[in-house]
Amino acid sequence: MVLERLIVVGVAFSMMSGVALGADDLQKRAQGMFKPVPHAAPVFKGNKATPAKLQLGKMLYFDPRLSASNLISCNTCHNVGLGGGDLQETSVGHGWQKGPRNAPTVLNAVFNVAQFWDGRAKDLMEQAKGPVQASVEMNNNPQRVVETLKSIPEYVAIFTKAFPGQKDPVTFDNMARAIEVFEATLLTPDGPFDRYLKGDRKALTAKEQEGLRLFMDKGCGACHNGVNVGGGGYFPFGVVEKPAGEIRPVADTGRFKVTHTASDEYVFRAPSLRNVDLTPPYFHSGKVWKLDEAVAIMGSAQLGIKLNNDEAGKIVAFLDTLTGRQPKVEYPILPPNSPTTPQSLLQ
Ligand code: HEC
Ligand code: HEC
């Protein structure tokens, strides 16, 4: 009887410690593969953040006068109240034109290795100059943007404060610098997964931990890792199996258009999966609205495996823990036009 109890206790103890060891081990493995989102923006070499620059960057981010129509701001397509996206398959810009790709989130974008689905802009500053000029987005040009900003006395004053000592501070590049500084503050720390990585094992439920385990064991973490659980490298979309033509349209060859190297055909930057629950639809084509469907496609396209509904459900439960505290951004009051401010070009 005593022996029996000892055995039972022994088995129970080893089972418990087995579970505990497994959980410890999972947390350690996760800590080796992912990093929590930090609370503070990184420091840029050559573009130091100052309160004036941050204030200016925020105003510019929300100012539709960067667009030729006076209607479209960065926030139109990267709505900071909607997880930094626009909930469109592909973005709608100047004159209601539909662009070719889905808008990735700006939240935590500063941690991506490079910007855009194909990584064609090396950082946020370079990136910010793109949409202002893209005809299907804001359809403006640098001269007209500078003319607009210079026509507004309050902007001239803030540019002068943000870029002290410069003779002519209102420039297109300085616009991009200020926007970069603001964007770098759009971080989402303290989600359940961040708390788990920082040591709180209870921050993830048993199901979410199973999802994390599957995510690592099945091989998702090979491409989606680091702070952003992605955003760190380039991979073919369709490593093992070609995704359906609608999901990976033939015309968009991805990184090939940047490098002109045959092996880069249909190569895209693995997107960050931070806040992925908030930013449907998915993939560069935006053709998939359901996260479990996107996960299943990843299984077959990237890994050659068929995830069953239970597995996909657990992985989605884990992905939901990547939603962090959303940045609270107070909408800026924008300075008024002057009589010389260019008018909307949208007729
Ligand atoms: C009309 C919609 C639209 C507007 C306006 C717009 N964007 Fe975008 N943005 C997009 C789309 C679409 C992409 C992806 C394009 C691509 O990869 O080729 C993108 C990509 C980005 C990225 C890259 C994110 C990543 O993970 O690669 C950043 C950052 C960004 N935009 C910031 C801005 C800023 C700053 C502005 C304002 C100056 C702006 N956007 C205006 C639609 C828009
Ligand atoms: C070989 C690298 C690789 C592997 C392995 C991989 N992915 Fe991806 N993932 C990518 C790339 C590249 C994209 C972008 C595809 C596109 O739209 O062009 C992507 C896109 C996604 C998206 C869409 C995100 C968005 O915002 O549009 C999700 C969700 C996703 N992956 C989850 C997973 C899961 C879950 C696994 C494991 C079952 C996985 N991935 C395995 C590279 C990979």
Side-chain angles (χ1 to χ4, degrees):
M1 185 69 196
V2 172
L3 190 65
E4 232 171 43
R5 267 193 70 179
L6 270 177
I7 291 169
V8 171
V9 170
V11 169
F13 180 75
S14 67
M15 272 172 65
M16 270 166 59
S17 62
V19 170
L21 268 180
D24 260 355
D25 184 46
L26 180 70
Q27 195 177 29
K28 280 217 181 73
R29 281 175 62 206
Q31 285 164 338
M33 191 174 262
F34 311 102
K35 293 279 165 280
V37 175
H39 285 146
V43 178
F44 296 111
K45 274 195 217 119
N47 189 20
K48 222 179 102 221
T50 60
K53 220 186 264 180
L54 181 59
Q55 185 200 359
L56 174 61
K58 180 171 149 185
M59 290 163 82
L60 294 169
Y61 186 91
F62 282 95
D63 200 327
R65 288 170 297 185
L66 295 189
S67 70
S69 64
N70 288 353
L71 268 179
I72 300 169
S73 72
C74 307
N75 194 62
T76 306
C77 303
H78 303 284
N79 194 313
V80 294
L82 287 175
D86 60 6
L87 300 174
Q88 304 296 310
E89 269 185 20
T90 64
S91 293
V92 173
H94 188 81
W96 219 243
Q97 292 175 85
K98 219 165 157 27
R101 285 182 182 163
N102 173 263
T105 180
V106 289
L107 304 184
N108 311 305
V110 65
F111 301 122
N112 292 335
V113 63
Q115 302 299 318
F116 290 122
W117 283 99
D118 51 18
R120 68 184 181 279
K122 73 173 194 304
D123 54 29
L124 291 172
M125 181 197 163
E126 188 180 316
Q127 194 287 326
K129 298 190 243 177
V132 178
Q133 301 177 76
S135 60
V136 295
E137 297 190 342
M138 299 162 96
N139 193 33
N140 216 337
N141 63 62
Q143 297 72 26
R144 197 167 171 280
V145 170
V146 169
E147 189 191 337
T148 301
L149 294 170
K150 280 189 172 169
S151 76
I152 299 171
E154 232 182 280
Y155 263 132
V156 177
I158 300 170
F159 267 95
T160 308
K161 218 166 127 198
F163 299 96
Q166 295 189 10
K167 251 208 224 113
D168 184 22
V170 186
T171 65
F172 198 58
D173 276 1
N174 281 346
M175 171 208 77
R177 286 191 181 96
I179 291 177
E180 174 174 63
V181 163
F182 169 65
E183 276 182 306
T185 65
L186 299 175
L187 309 179
T188 66
D190 299 336
F193 189 52
D194 298 293
R195 299 202 304 274
Y196 180 80
L197 289 175
K198 286 181 173 173
D200 179 3
R201 206 187 301 153
K202 293 208 185 81
L204 297 197
T205 65
K207 184 180 177 184
E208 289 159 357
Q209 291 190 33
E210 282 176 51
L212 166 62
R213 193 189 298 279
L214 284 166
F215 190 87
M216 294 196 290
D217 288 350
K218 298 285 185 189
C220 313
C223 305
H224 298 279
N225 50 49
V227 174
N228 267 356
V229 193
Y234 305 100
F235 305 94
F237 185 20
V239 177
V240 185
E241 207 176 272
K242 197 171 123 188
E246 188 198 40
I247 292 166
R248 196 195 77 179
V250 183
D252 192 345
T253 51
R255 207 156 157 73
F256 176 74
K257 289 209 177 121
V258 182
T259 64
H260 306 288
T261 306
S263 58
D264 277 341
E265 257 190 345
Y266 301 107
V267 164
F268 294 88
R269 193 196 59 199
S272 163
L273 299 181
R274 289 280 176 187
N275 306 292
V276 69
D277 177 42
L278 302 179
T279 57
Y282 303 111
F283 300 125
H284 70 271
S285 58
K287 285 291 179 194
V288 175
W289 282 86
K290 295 213 170 74
L291 192 49
D292 56 350
E293 214 179 294
V295 167
I297 290 167
M298 276 284 122
S300 56
Q302 305 303 76
L303 298 161
I305 54 172
K306 189 167 170 11
L307 295 167
N308 63 37
N309 287 348
D310 178 58
E311 290 171 324
K314 285 173 180 160
I315 292 177
V316 168
F318 161 63
L319 293 179
D320 288 351
T321 71
L322 300 178
T323 299
R325 182 158 46 79
Q326 302 299 295
K328 276 217 171 75
V329 181
E330 194 185 329
Y331 195 93
I333 306 294
L334 302 174
N337 277 1
S338 80
T340 57
T341 305
Q343 291 167 6
S344 165
L345 283 183
L346 192 65
Q347 303 308 332

